[in-house]
Amino acid sequence: MTSTERAPERFPDRFPEGAPERSPDRFPGRDGDGDDGYDDDRIGRARVTDSPELLAYYRELAEHEAGALWTVANEIEPWYPQPRSVPVLWRYADLRPLVRKALPLVKADDAGRRVVMLVNPGRRELSAAVGLLYTGLQIMGPGETMTAHRHQASALRFVHEGTGAWTVVNGQKLKVGPRDFAITPNNTWHEHGNEADDAPVIWQDGLDIPLVNTLDANFYEVHPELHQRPGPVVNSSLLSYGGNLLPYGVEKWSRPYSPLLGWPWEPSYHALCQLARATGGSPYDGVIMEYTNPVTGGPVMPTMAAHLQLLRPGQATRAHRHTGSVVYTAAKGRGVSVIAGQRFAWQQGDVFVVPSWAWHEHANLDQGEDACLFSFNDFPVMRALGLYREEAHPDGQQPTPTA
């Protein structure tokens, strides 16, 4: 996984004038590359030396619930992002028996949702998988139905196994199968179930709960009738918006999320393969496509976007980093990703995360078959707030990890 071709220093159209051509290769707990431009002991940074008089002054301020900015300025205004999240990989083969173990232990009506959440060691206080994103593995037994509810947080689903999964979103019933992707936008009534009589369903939930809670904006309601009354047509959003044409002569869609609620695996993978025939793809992500709102062409929901990417047989991408956190799920094949200098080998079903501003690159370990990664991220938030920034690794790829 080495390359002699140098990646561009940066993307000029994404960086302000005067930004440094090269940022230090740094991650929490790691030293920089010696660039004294990031030294805190310089004019313009807080460098006040404590004295007995100052310490007494700080105590006096604290008595009034106040403090001196210069004591925390360098911490709360770092030179570059300092995420608390760390790279983590959760192996599906390890988690699957534990998820299934919850089925007889916890009743659906008692749990509301029977989910094993994936928690980042650096974000335990938020129950987050990475940054301000949550993910977990939910299991529903044969014939089981969960009660309807709604919340301010947005949610999405990626099915790992089981053929009987369904969800009802604001009265629209949607059936989903393995590797299908579906959304339940914020403040929409939704409930889930498994209509199969022979096997449980396991799907992956993704939500922006940590973000919404950090903003002190979350609400939660239980449906007054506990269950919705679905309309007569199953998969109506897919029938209406799942083609290459938009319905004409109907009321224009004006909500901030996609009217299409589900994306089946087969046509999504087919579209990815077709794109691979037409283009070389991205040097950093392989052949990559975004699940989009068919009306606007934008992300499926205001706070979270989702992608599907293909790595050709034996392909190794170049490294880059960006603001914004990403949760990846191996949808097909096997490979390896190097994240902040750490090597993570993955296969279908495994989940791993890339924290904000962490160098990362991917490689397909199979020389004969392609590999696919599903992912969701908080890029819409970053872009809406003018915080999105991206940078290519100056050496093309990271140094080969020692372990």
Side-chain angles (χ1 to χ4, degrees), residues 124-286:
R124 296 188 199 279
E125 81 285 2
L126 297 177
S127 299
V130 63
L132 297 179
L133 294 173
Y134 161 97
T135 199
L137 297 175
Q138 179 171 175
I139 186 168
M140 294 173 286
E144 196 168 50
T145 299
M146 304 296 183
T147 53
H149 60 275
R150 66 180 178 183
H151 39 68
Q152 198 67 15
S154 300
L156 56 84
R157 327 287 171 190
F158 184 81
V159 183
H160 282 261
E161 61 180 275
T163 59
W166 57 264
T167 182
V168 179
V169 182
N170 273 356
Q172 294 188 57
K173 186 173 182 178
L174 180 71
K175 292 185 178 181
V176 289
R179 296 186 286 192
D180 290 355
F181 166 58
I183 62 172
T184 52
N186 73 314
N187 210 36
T188 57
W189 292 112
H190 56 281
E191 60 191 282
H192 318 301
N194 176 10
E195 61 187 21
D197 57 9
D198 59 343
V201 162
I202 298 178
W203 73 25
Q204 183 178 345
D205 295 326
L207 293 95
D208 58 2
I209 288 177
L211 170 66
V212 178
N213 284 339
T214 298
L215 295 173
D216 293 330
N218 218 346
F219 294 88
Y220 186 97
E221 298 176 69
V222 176
H223 196 282
E225 298 179 11
L226 293 184
H227 296 282
Q228 301 174 76
R229 300 177 184 179
V233 180
V234 177
N235 293 343
S236 61
S237 77
L238 186 59
L239 295 172
S240 300
Y241 292 95
N244 294 323
L245 303 174
L246 292 178
Y248 182 76
V250 298
E251 182 180 356
K252 186 176 180 180
W253 185 262
S254 59
R255 295 173 187 173
Y257 53 82
S258 171
L260 178 61
L261 301 175
W263 290 260
W265 165 254
E266 287 80 6
S268 300
Y269 175 63
H270 177 72
L272 203 58
C273 292
Q274 292 294 90
L275 181 62
R277 295 176 58 189
T279 177
S282 161
Y284 311 103
D285 292 301

Side-chain angles (χ1 to χ4, degrees), residues 3 25 27 63 166 168 180-181 191 214 217 252 281 326 330 332 359 376 385:
S3 173
D25 180 12
F27 202 68
E63 292 175 359
W166 57 264
V168 179
D180 290 355
F181 166 58
E191 60 191 282
T214 298
K252 186 176 180 180
V326 186
K332 181 179 184 288
W359 294 118
F376 68 94
L385 297 177

